[in-house]
Amino acid sequence: MPLPPDAVVRLNLGHIWLSEYPLEIPVHGFLIKHPAGAGLVDTGYGTPLELIKDYRPVNASVAAALRRHDVDPSDIRWIINSHLHFDHCGQNAVFPQAPLYVQRAEYERRHRYADTPAAWLEYAGARYELLDGEREIVPGVRVLTTPGHTAGHQSVEVDTTDGPALLTGDACWTARMFEGEAPREGMMEDEAIFGRSLEKMRQLKPATVHFCHDNRTWRTHSGISTGR
Ligand SMILES: [Zn+2]
């Protein structure tokens, strides 16, 4: 059974400053309200904020964000990390009960990410479920391999009554990028592979596309729409 479109709930998890562009970007995770148990796609950055101070992060508790939607952190049954950069996995430890679904290729590269504190990933009780490719995690929620931003990146497709909802992670940063605007230098590890993953996501003909770093949501009928 497809989920209602509002089963995908954006969580505002602060913002970070990218000094190389320079650019301030929002950071989002997503709650998926699913009859088999609620899940999360990405968990934002963690604490202490001092560890990533060059990014000028603000306090952003995923637990508080969930409670604003009447969900207790202990209700989360599964987590998908699109990739293991610091702003997507920083609060995994808030959910000791939940398996963490990550591509094996991504997990094995985690030490290359100098900005991701090891303690945010490797803590007592962390339960990684390493994936070798695409998989349905719970009925109607699938991970898709979308390399380019990182080699082990994955995105998430959710069946909704409106059609597919796509959560790109950082495979595509913004609604404008989804419509063809080129990424800026350094946003993707491999731009040619990014292009192939973007085309793969477009071929899914999503009804809705949600972004981790854009307050807008892309919708098939109206193109870019202003987010909440
Ligand atoms: Zn990111």
Side-chain angles (χ1 to χ4, degrees), residues 142-163:
R142 286 176 296 283
V143 297
L144 312 163
T145 53
T146 50
H149 179 64
T150 66
H153 192 283
Q154 60 186 357
S155 300
V156 179
E157 184 185 23
V158 180
D159 294 336
T160 79
T161 51
D162 278 358

Side-chain angles (χ1 to χ4, degrees), residues 11 18 35 42 50 59 69 72 75 100 116 118 120 125 137 146 148 166 177-178 192 224:
L11 302 175
L18 305 180
D42 288 345
E50 180 69 14
N59 269 315
H69 295 281
D72 191 85
D75 295 335
L100 305 153
T116 304
W120 292 0
I137 304 301
T146 50
L166 190 59
M177 205 181 279
F178 192 73
I224 296 168

Side-chain angles (χ1 to χ4, degrees), residues 16 127 139 142 172 177:
I16 52 177
R127 203 147 49 91
R142 286 176 296 283
C172 180
M177 205 181 279

